[in-house]
Amino acid sequence: MSIEAAAQLIVEARRERTTLARLPKSCRLGSEADGYAVQKAVAGALGLAVAGWKVAARSSNSGVAAPIFAGTVHQAPVTLPHVNALETEIAFKLKHDLPLRYRQPYSRQEILHAIQSVALAFELVDWRLTAVDLDLPERVADCFANAGLVLGMVRPFIGDISSPVKELSLFRNQTPEPFEAKDIDPVESIRAYVNFGGDTLGGLKAGHWVITGSLSGIQKVSCPETWTARWRDELEVSLRIDPKA
């Protein structure tokens, strides 16, 4: 089956740290649901537990997600030997499960009530499938290029947050780094997914960290290098990249 063949190719790429341009036509996936099935098959083959989620709203009635696997979540400040690229995101820790709910969509207030903590985070990005024209099922199957997460200082979540990019600053080696600002509503990212998503790994659980979409686009990184992001005077995350680590 194409799902099994696609999963095996991605498993091998993860194990060997190799890449493919895209999945061969012989195992090209036919639907978004196939992509989620590959996520599950890859996690099972590698024995990976889910520690968190990457979610994004594609529209007001469409959301996507990918698991963030245990062992790839780091607490800042941290030094890592290799990072390909990173994105700056708002991360929420859940205090309640948020199972997918198609027939009775969640309200914004219900999502807010389920959030325990907030942090600024760097998503670690590394592609197993590298073509720029990947279709959606392939991107889902590759977990949207997620390679882990660096969490900054954690604060209790109170109130709401709808347009955090307006007060975001990014620094490379203590020098302000320009970025393409993305006006993400992080709460709506979660709501779009739990109302319309389709993962097969059990969904968003209490205790999971959930990242909610890049506020800064993708930053390619070099080595050695230090990255820091700040939101207002409330949240900060830092990462050192050094091959000697």
Side-chain angles (χ1 to χ4, degrees):
M1 291 180 62
S2 60
I3 291 171
E4 295 170 352
Q8 185 57 41
L9 288 171
I10 293 175
V11 164
E12 291 172 1
R14 283 179 173 269
R15 282 177 173 158
E16 304 299 326
R17 294 190 62 84
T18 57
T19 61
L20 298 167
R22 61 184 309 178
L23 293 173
K25 290 183 179 180
S26 60
C27 58
R28 199 70 53 84
L29 304 173
S31 67
E32 186 177 337
D34 287 348
Y36 286 117
V38 171
Q39 287 183 2
K40 184 175 183 179
V42 169
L46 294 174
L48 298 173
V50 176
W53 289 91
K54 169 178 181 164
V55 301
R58 299 184 66 226
S59 68
S60 61
N61 61 356
S62 175
V64 292
I68 301 171
F69 294 121
T72 68
V73 179
H74 312 274
Q75 184 66 54
V78 65
T79 301
L80 298 176
H82 171 77
V83 174
N84 190 341
L86 57 82
E87 300 177 349
T88 309
E89 310 203 12
I90 294 291
F92 293 128
K93 187 176 183 179
L94 300 182
K95 61 183 175 182
H96 302 309
D97 292 357
L98 286 172
L100 300 181
R101 205 167 81 184
Y102 309 114
R103 296 184 180 179
Q104 187 182 359
Y106 291 93
S107 68
R108 186 178 184 90
Q109 283 304 120
E110 287 179 293
I111 303 301
L112 293 170
H113 183 66
I115 298 170
Q116 175 179 317
S117 308
V118 60
L120 199 59
F122 285 137
E123 180 188 4
L124 306 178
V125 179
D126 198 4
W127 296 266
R128 276 68 58 176
L129 305 177
T130 60
V132 296
D133 60 344
L134 294 176
D135 58 30
L136 180 59
E138 287 175 300
R139 294 173 63 213
V140 172
D142 192 30
C143 292
F144 292 96
N146 178 265
L149 175 64
V150 176
L151 289 165
M153 58 179 68
V154 178
R155 296 286 185 264
F157 181 71
I158 301 171
D160 201 344
I161 178 173
S162 61
S163 187
V165 74
K166 296 175 182 177
E167 297 173 276
L168 179 71
S169 301
L170 185 62
F171 303 86
R172 183 202 299 248
N173 296 326
Q174 301 181 329
T175 300
E177 178 73 9
F179 60 90
E180 183 182 356
K182 306 287 187 179
D183 194 14
I184 300 291
D185 182 335
V187 177
E188 285 302 307
S189 293
I190 294 178
R191 194 167 80 95
Y193 178 66
V194 295
N195 284 344
F196 302 103
D199 87 273
T200 56
L201 283 164
L204 281 57
K205 300 288 189 182
H208 281 169
W209 280 98
V210 183
I211 54 174
T212 52
S214 178
L215 303 173
S216 62
I218 296 177
Q219 278 67 51
K220 285 282 194 176
V221 305
S222 301
C223 196
E225 215 166 53
T226 299
W227 286 82
T228 303
R230 298 189 185 102
W231 184 71
R232 296 181 176 173
D233 294 323
E234 300 176 23
L235 301 176
E236 181 176 310
V237 59
S238 61
L239 166 65
R240 174 74 177 165
I241 305 148
D242 190 332
K244 297 179 182 179

